[in-house]
Amino acid sequence: MIISRVVDIVRAKGGTITREPGPVKGGDSNIAVIEDPDGYKFELLERAPCPEPLCKVMLRVGDLDRSIKFYEKAVGLELLRKQDNPGSKCTVAIMGYGPEEKSTVLELTSNYGVTTYDKGDAYAQITIGTDDVYKTAEAIKLAGGKITHAGPVPGYKTKITSCVDPDGWKT
C-alpha cells in the first residue's frame, strides 16, 4: 500500500501527520511521519516491493562505531551501508542479514553531538532468532552487552537470551 493511502486513513481516523508523504532528501524512497495518541512517532517508508512488509527498525545510538561493532559481534548483523547526512545532522548505519531491499534491516542513527538519549517511559525491544541461546549469550558478553536472562522462560516452551546493548536497548 502506498504511504499516501496509509496517511489518508490515519488522518480520517483523527491521527496526527507530522510529515506529509514525500521524497527523502538525497534518497530515492518516500516517507511520511505519523504520531500515535501517546505522542510516539512512526516513520512510514515506501520502497520497492519486498517480501518483508516491515522495512526497518531504527534505534538512536550515542556511539555509532561502538554500536556497529556490538551488533556485528553479538548477533552477526552485517553493516550494509553507512551514510553521513549533514542536512539532517546525523549519520546512519544500515545493518542486516541480507540485502536491504529484500529483508528487514536495523538502522542505527547517531545525531551529531548527542551521546545519550532519554527513552522516557517507552519500551522497545528487538527480537532475533538463534539456534543456541547460550552461545549467543557468550557472544553478547564478548561484544560488551549485559545479559539479563539466558535459558528457559518459565511457563513457556522456549529459551531466550535477553540483553541490553551499550545504549540501553533491550534485545
Side-chain angles (χ1 to χ4, degrees):
M1 179 180 283
I2 36 185
I3 61 174
S4 59
R5 284 193 230 149
V6 175
V7 167
D8 289 343
I9 293 167
V10 170
R11 186 177 283 114
K13 294 184 180 234
T16 303
I17 313 305
T18 59
R19 185 190 192 281
E20 291 292 331
V24 174
K25 187 175 183 177
D28 58 0
S29 56
N30 288 313
I31 68 167
V33 180
I34 61 174
E35 190 173 311
D36 78 2
D38 294 319
Y40 294 108
K41 292 183 179 179
F42 296 87
E43 178 181 280
L44 304 176
L45 175 68
E46 183 177 289
R47 66 177 187 179
C50 177
E52 299 292 335
L54 177 62
C55 299
K56 70 179 173 182
V57 174
M58 188 266 281
L59 299 177
R60 297 199 187 279
V61 298
D63 181 328
L64 187 60
D65 291 329
R66 175 190 68 189
S67 294
I68 290 168
K69 287 177 188 169
F70 175 80
Y71 284 99
E72 285 175 333
K73 291 179 181 177
V75 293
L77 284 168
E78 178 184 336
L79 177 62
L80 302 175
R81 67 181 171 90
K82 190 174 177 182
Q83 180 178 334
D84 189 47
N85 299 309
S88 301
K89 297 182 181 177
C90 70
T91 304
V92 300
I94 303 295
M95 304 192 73
Y97 293 113
E100 184 176 358
E101 64 278 1
K102 295 187 178 193
S103 61
T104 304
V105 296
L106 176 64
E107 176 184 313
L108 303 174
T109 300
S110 176
N111 291 310
Y112 293 178
V114 181
T115 57
T116 59
Y117 294 90
D118 177 12
K119 294 171 187 63
D121 61 357
Y123 181 80
Q125 179 173 305
I126 299 170
T127 304
I128 299 169
T130 181
D131 292 333
D132 187 325
V133 297
Y134 302 108
K135 284 183 183 176
T136 300
E138 289 306 312
I140 289 168
K141 285 182 203 173
L142 291 172
K146 178 185 172 194
I147 301 299
T148 57
H149 180 87
V153 178
Y156 294 92
K157 294 179 181 179
T158 190
K159 295 177 188 171
I160 66 167
T161 294
S162 297
C163 75
V164 179
D165 80 1
D167 286 286
W169 295 111
K170 296 176 183 174
T171 304

